[in-house]
């Protein structure tokens, strides 16, 4: 039967398919990938030309434009010299499996449609919950990122609060002054207050600091306390145990934001930093940050998932088949309905390599951070701002202005050595290495440090 005209675009030629696979193969085999660099909008528009046209420009031409113009203008976050923000370093196994997820139109929102995929995702979530000491009944869902994970958990916490306590004032949650910007974003969406508590000299929030800084009147309107398991700026882990005891004694929901750092609970030497996490009512960790999985994935886990289900389950005539069953539907546990089974790349890589490899890789990143700090301490012109607790190293160059930092950063990217953008703390500019890539080595760190002129 001839293909109808309307289905023509659902077939492509074998050559184009091969060309796409070949390019994917090439990208997978880069060691290291090109760092690349962004370009101004006008320059890209001129170089790429119009690509969306009534009759299409053809797959080969679109692929050529991507390969020659667009990809070189897109930084590879897994280059070993990419140390800004929080980089990513997906394993090859996880990248390959992401291809499979893309090649299959599978739906991860419900058990009815996605049972097999959801089973595998849930096995990963249960394993991580166990690592954190949560009960077997814990469960959750892989959402797009930590921002959605934090928001979904906080909405669940608020719902739980409304069901059990009465208060007339504005609701609020407590977090540390060093916590991530996504918490303020969540407060804005939820129209609640943030009670931000200053950290101690060590950069940690503790139960004592919360008790000192929050009045009894304010405690009455607090529906959650957020502990950060590895701050983004410094990689410092709050004193979760003492925070947990305040939360437990006052019957307040404890959420642990471990988007970046909670992965380090897998390392033998860092595990004890996370004491108290077993008391969490909810927690998040981003596999796209430090669990070597591709964008975008945040594991959101609840101690009592049924509270989240009662909060987030969507109801509609078209959904009744799903909501009236007792099946585990991932969509019920966060602000989402249609979802990619984005936990599968991590599942495949974990299944392939085993947990031990993950423990080792994270341990090695922390070791490297310590070695980088030692190199910085040897340089009289550099100042280590704080000893690294996990894998973030922050330091300053004496005498440098903001412009000096920026000029050096631009040159370092221009020369394709590294991507290290200036950061700041309490108004002072600094440089920051976030190390989550096992291919980043001491040689790369030394190369970057040497490129900072001693005078
Ligand atoms: C990165 C980060 C987030 C936000 O996660 P996204 O995946 O970028 O949305 C939240 N909290 C902390 C501590 C983070 O480091």
């Amino acid at each position: 039967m001839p293909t109808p005209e309307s289905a023509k675009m659902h077939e492509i030629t074998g050559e184009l398919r091969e060309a796409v696979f070949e390019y994917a193969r090439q990208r997978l085999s880069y060691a290291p990938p090109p760092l690349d660099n962004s370009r101004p909008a006008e320059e890209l528009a001129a170089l790429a030309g119009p690509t969306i046209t009534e009759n299409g420009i053809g797959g080969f031409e679109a692929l050529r434009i991507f390969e020659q113009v667009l990809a070189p203008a897109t930084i590879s976050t897994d280059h070993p010299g990419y140390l800004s923000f929080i980089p990513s370093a997906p394993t090859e196994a996880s990248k390959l499996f992401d291809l499979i997820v893309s090649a299959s139109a599978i739906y991860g929102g419900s058990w009815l449609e996605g049972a097999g995929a959801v089973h595998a995702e849930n096995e990963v979530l249960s394993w991580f919950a166990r690592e954190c000491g949560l009960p077997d009944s814990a469960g959750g869902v892989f959402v797009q990122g930590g921002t959605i994970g934090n928001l979904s958990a906080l909405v669940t916490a608020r719902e739980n609060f409304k069901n059990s306590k009465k208060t007339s004032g504005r609701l609020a949650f407590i977090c540390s002054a060093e916590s991530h910007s996504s918490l303020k974003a969540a407060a804005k969406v939820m129209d609640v207050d943030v009670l931000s508590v200053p950290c101690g000299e060590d950069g940690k929030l503790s139960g004592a600091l919360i008790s000192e800084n929050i009045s009894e009147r304010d405690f009455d309107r607090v529906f959650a306390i957020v502990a950060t398991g590895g701050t983004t700026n410094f990689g410092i882990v709050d004193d979760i145990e003492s925070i947990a005891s305040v939360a437990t004694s006052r019957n307040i929901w404890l959420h642990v934001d471990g988007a970046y750092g909670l992965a380090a609970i897998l390392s033998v030497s860092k595990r004890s930093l996370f004491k108290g996490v077993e008391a969490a009512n909810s927690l998040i960790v981003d596999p796209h940050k430090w669990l070597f999985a591709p964008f975008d994935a945040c594991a959101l886990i609840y101690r009592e998932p049924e509270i989240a289900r009662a909060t987030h389950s969507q109801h509609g005539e078209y959904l009744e088949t799903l909501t009236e069953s007792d099946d585990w539907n991932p969509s019920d546990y966060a602000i989402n309905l249609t979802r990619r089974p984005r936990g599968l790349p991590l599942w495949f890589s974990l299944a392939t390599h085993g947990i031990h490899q993950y423990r080792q890789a994270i341990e090695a990143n922390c070791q490297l951070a310590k070695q980088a700090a030692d190199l910085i301490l040897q340089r009289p012109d550099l100042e280590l701002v704080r000893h690294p607790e996990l894998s973030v190293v922050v330091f300053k160059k004496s005498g440098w202005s903001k412009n000096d930092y920026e000029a050096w950063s631009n040159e370092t990217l221009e020369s394709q050595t590294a991507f290290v953008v200036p950061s700041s703390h309490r108004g002072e500019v600094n440089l920051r290495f976030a190390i989550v890539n096992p291919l980043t080595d001491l040689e790369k760190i030394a190369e970057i440090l040497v490129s900072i002129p001693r005078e």
Side-chain angles (χ1 to χ4, degrees), residues 26 31 69 95 123 130 145 153 169 207-208 224 234 270 328 341 396 407 415:
Q26 184 191 325
V69 179
K95 287 181 182 176
E123 193 178 350
R130 268 198 313 279
F234 283 104
K270 303 295 175 189
W328 182 278
K396 287 191 286 197
S415 69

Side-chain angles (χ1 to χ4, degrees), residues 2-240:
T3 311
E5 201 57 34
S6 61
K8 280 266 158 69
M9 69 175 174
H10 282 75
E11 290 178 340
I12 59 168
T13 65
E15 287 99 47
L16 179 56
R17 186 179 302 126
E18 284 316 307
V20 171
F21 281 145
E22 190 44 44
Y23 180 58
R25 212 173 274 127
Q26 184 191 325
R27 291 211 64 121
L28 282 165
S29 66
Y30 284 138
L35 181 52
D36 297 321
N37 197 345
S38 67
R39 293 270 169 263
E42 315 79 65
E43 201 180 310
L44 277 182
L47 285 171
T51 55
I52 306 304
T53 63
E54 194 59 35
N55 295 312
I57 60 171
F60 286 104
E61 179 59 2
L63 187 60
R64 182 195 68 77
I65 291 171
F66 187 78
E67 214 175 321
Q68 295 178 5
V69 179
L70 305 178
T74 310
I75 293 182
S76 302
T77 59
D78 58 346
H79 184 280
Y82 184 120
L83 299 171
S84 295
F85 313 113
I86 305 282
S88 82
T91 62
E92 187 167 353
S94 69
K95 287 181 182 176
L96 282 168
F97 213 77
D98 209 34
L99 292 179
I100 304 240
V101 175
S102 295
S104 339
I106 49 181
Y107 181 78
S110 72
W111 188 265
L112 176 65
E113 293 149 286
V118 175
H119 169 84
E121 286 190 306
N122 283 353
E123 193 178 350
V124 177
L125 293 169
S126 297
W127 156 70
F128 197 79
R130 268 198 313 279
E131 291 281 350
C132 293
L134 292 183
D136 287 347
S137 51
V141 54
F142 286 96
V143 293
Q144 173 264 325
T147 301
I148 297 294
N150 280 336
L151 175 62
S152 299
L154 287 167
V155 169
T156 304
R158 177 174 65 183
E159 196 75 2
N160 185 58
F161 177 90
K162 282 184 179 166
N163 289 338
S164 62
K165 293 185 194 170
K166 295 263 171 293
T167 169
S168 49
R170 276 177 68 79
L171 299 186
F173 64 84
I174 294 171
C175 62
S176 99
E178 297 280 336
S179 65
H180 192 262
S181 53
S182 58
L183 294 174
K184 283 202 199 87
K188 201 166 170 186
V189 173
M190 296 170 71
D191 192 24
V192 298
D193 292 338
V194 179
L195 302 176
S196 169
V197 176
C199 294
E201 271 306 302
D202 56 3
K204 289 174 190 272
L205 180 66
S206 66
L209 283 167
I210 292 175
S211 302
E212 271 165 42
N213 284 278
I214 304 295
S215 67
E216 282 306 319
R217 259 185 78 181
D218 268 341
F219 264 124
D220 283 344
R221 62 193 189 103
V222 168
F223 66 87
I225 302 178
V226 181
T228 302
T231 57
T232 318
N233 218 2
F234 283 104
I236 303 276
V237 183
D238 283 346
D239 180 353
I240 303 175

